[in-house]
């Protein structure tokens, strides 16, 4: 979210002009002096009059008044407030406070991936603590029901509340993009996670889970397409507002003739919208790229080592750091797919490489094969894999930073592609400056081989880097098509008008001649600057800004969901309905705060 920008001296921004519909929606009126919005409830002045600022004040301070939902009730409430008749805020009854506590604990259990039945255990813990510390307050727990059935229903109610809030906000999206992740789930069934990133008139970015689709029941691309369109329709999101798609690069997603992306782009074609921008390299970058660079099935071998260490070497002190890292990612027990995903991370491979001597000694002690440690080619492939995955990890961490916009993320991609070209030249010259693990392996081999013996073949690794380069070119091809739009968005004052699309040249020239806007651009970040830019004076540039801002600029929300799943894989592998899984993942990934009063009093806005 962005800080509130100051009012431009020369431009009046329509997004900062008081709108009449806010009176009933947020209980504010335009003050006599015409600056800001005056709250009818607390009589405070909301200085920066953009809808997000007014909405935040209302949701933070006066959420109680959401109980007045009917149009007639709302109008009567506004009239009473204008006359100074402030409705009495009814305090929560003891039963409602108990319900509020139960809702909070249900949400906490969901966030931690705990089973429904653990609510009873939490209740027993609180009872024991209160009996010893505050015995006079033990009776406060009498109304708190944490039974599995009630906890399960409360999680579903929280999900409905969050879903309603998302749908209400989605109505104001000027542009949005979808992220489709079919590689996150590691439980007994596979699911497609669908995330939405929407941008309103003030460029406030909202990233949320839109829906979860069971791939077992929606196996065909046509069925998937229908499920996604149904979710969009339910949220009130038209395809004409869709700007981008980011996906994994599986055949189900990007198959040339039968992939989901081609179907989505056909559906989204409209004379009033961009061609949908698709890129497939953001999600699970390390995981999916590892299959392109693992030239000798290194990870399969390492997986066998880890299983042996977990079963027969768990007490060895040299492996404690590795085991701790493993347990922090996915707990003490782990299924094969989850272990495989963990091993395809640059950080994990680097740690295992540093323990290779200890692992060899351990394998010898238990009588397991150590043939790989005498295989020159395998050791070189191992070192090369560790280094390439470490470079990919650096890129993945850069792409995990959100709210930087797609222009900055694309810069990171372009920089990495230049880096790959440099690495390819270095390999050709047998210069291992940027291959620390590979260089370490080569130095060790030199001590045991004759000088004239060839240690590694540069062509073998050049082919791998070249293949990775081609994959990056393919995954981010569409972003190159809109490179001018990205550059215009990121540097509007340095972009030469003659290189801009004809439709935007007049506005761009006018923008670059405005000294006040130039001063704002220098002191504010891009979000703040474009939020304060007049849509009336610069409609085309503002439109481009909304579209670019709606493109996914990071994999943060997808990684959040993936992390939640891997940490709680055994809980989530239990028989759960799709509705419950949806609720758990929404609670785990959302930035929206539930409306607790509505939940306590059993009120939820009707689902669209």
């Amino acid at each position: 979210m962005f800080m509130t920008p100051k009012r431009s001296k020369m431009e009046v921004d329509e997004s900062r002009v008081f709108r009449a519909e806010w009176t009933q929606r947020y209980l504010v009126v335009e003050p006599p002096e015409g600056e800001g919005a005056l709250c009818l409830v607390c009589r405070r002045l909301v200085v920066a009059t953009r809808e997000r600022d007014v909405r935040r004040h209302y949701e933070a301070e006066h959420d109680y008044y959401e109980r007045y939902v009917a149009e007639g009730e709302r109008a009567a409430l506004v009239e009473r407030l204008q006359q100074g008749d402030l409705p009495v805020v009814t305090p929560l009854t003891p039963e409602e406070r108990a319900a509020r506590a139960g809702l909070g604990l249900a949400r906490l259990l969901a966030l931690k991936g705990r089973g429904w039945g653990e609510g009873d255990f939490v209740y027993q813990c609180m009872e024991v603590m209160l009996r010893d510390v505050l015995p006079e307050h033990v009776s406060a727990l009498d109304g708190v029901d944490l039974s599995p059935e009630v906890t399960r229903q409360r999680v579903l109610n929280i999900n409905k509340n969050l879903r309603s809030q998302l749908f209400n906000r989605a109505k104001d999206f000027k542009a949005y993009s979808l992220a489709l992740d079919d590689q996150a789930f590691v439980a007994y069934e596979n699911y497609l996670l669908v995330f939405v990133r929407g941008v309103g008139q003030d460029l406030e970015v909202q990233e949320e889970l839109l829906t979860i689709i069971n791939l077992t029941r929606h196996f065909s691309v046509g069925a998937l397409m229908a499920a996604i369109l149904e979710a969009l329709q339910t949220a009130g999101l038209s395809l004409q507002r869709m700007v981008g798609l980011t996906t994994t690069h599986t055949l189900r997603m990007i198959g040339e003739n039968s992939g989901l992306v081609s179907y989505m782009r056909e559906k989204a074609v409209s004379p009033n919208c961009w061609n949908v921008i698709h890129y497939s390299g953001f999600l699970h970058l390390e995981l999916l790229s590892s299959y392109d660079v693992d030239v000798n099935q290194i990870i399969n071998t390492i997986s066998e080592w880890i299983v042996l260490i977990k079963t027969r070497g768990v007490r060895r002190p040299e492996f404690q750091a590795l085991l701790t890292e493993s347990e922090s990612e996915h707990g003490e027990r782990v299924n094969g797919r989850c272990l495989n995903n963990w091993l395809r991370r640059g950080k994990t491979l680097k740690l295992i490489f540093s323990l290779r001597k200890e692992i060899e000694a351990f394998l010898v002690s238990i009588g397991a094969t150590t043939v790989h440690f005498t295989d020159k080619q395998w050791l070189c492939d191992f070192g090369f894999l560790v280094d390439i995955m470490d470079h990919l990890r650096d890129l993945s961490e850069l792409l995990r930073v959100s709210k930087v916009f797609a222009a900055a993320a694309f810069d990171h991609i372009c920089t990495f592609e230049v880096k790959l070209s440099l690495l390819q030249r270095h390999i050709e010259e047998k210069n291992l400056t940027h291959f620390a693990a590979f260089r370490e392996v080569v130095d060790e081999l030199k001590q045991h081989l004759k000088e004239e013996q060839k240690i590694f073949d540069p062509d073998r690794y050049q082919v791998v880097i070249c293949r990775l380069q081609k994959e990056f070119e393919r995954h981010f091809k569409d972003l190159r098509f809109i490179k001018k739009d990205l550059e215009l968005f990121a540097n509007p004052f340095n972009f030469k008008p003659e290189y801009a699309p004809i439709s935007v040249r007049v506005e761009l020239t006018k923008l670059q001649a405005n000294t006040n806007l130039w001063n704002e651009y220098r002191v504010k970040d891009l979000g703040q600057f474009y939020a304060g830019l007049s849509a009336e004076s610069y409609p085309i540039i503002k439109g481009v800004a909304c579209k670019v801002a709606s493109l996914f600029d990071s994999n943060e929300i997808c990684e959040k969901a993936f992390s939640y799943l891997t940490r709680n894989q055994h809980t989530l592998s239990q028989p759960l309905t799709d509705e419950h899984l949806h609720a758990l993942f929404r609670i785990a990934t959302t930035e929206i705060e539930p409306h607790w009063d509505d939940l306590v009093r059993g009120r939820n806005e009707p689902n669209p």
Side-chain angles (χ1 to χ4, degrees), residues 285-322:
L285 175 67
E286 291 178 86
L287 170 64
L288 296 177
S289 296
S290 67
Y291 291 98
D292 294 321
V293 298
D294 186 3
V295 293
N296 205 350
Q297 302 298 307
I298 305 293
I299 292 173
N300 290 343
T301 302
I302 294 176
S303 179
E304 296 172 3
W305 297 348
I306 299 300
V307 171
L308 288 172
I309 291 172
K310 280 179 169 287
T311 54
R312 302 178 65 178
V314 69
R315 297 184 181 276
R316 292 182 176 248
E318 62 268 30
F319 298 139
Q320 293 311 302
L322 180 65

Side-chain angles (χ1 to χ4, degrees), residues 9-54:
K9 296 178 181 178
M10 296 189 64
E11 303 289 345
V12 178
D13 185 359
E14 63 181 19
S15 68
R16 289 184 282 178
V17 173
F18 186 89
R19 298 210 294 269
E21 62 265 25
W22 294 352
T23 298
Q24 281 203 22
R25 189 182 300 175
Y26 304 121
L27 305 180
V28 293
V29 293
E30 188 171 11
E33 59 273 16
E35 292 286 338
L38 181 65
C39 180
L40 290 172
V41 181
C42 62
R43 299 294 171 180
R44 284 169 53 188
L45 184 68
V46 182
V47 179
T49 315
R50 284 209 308 276
E51 185 169 7
R52 66 176 184 186
D53 302 306
V54 178

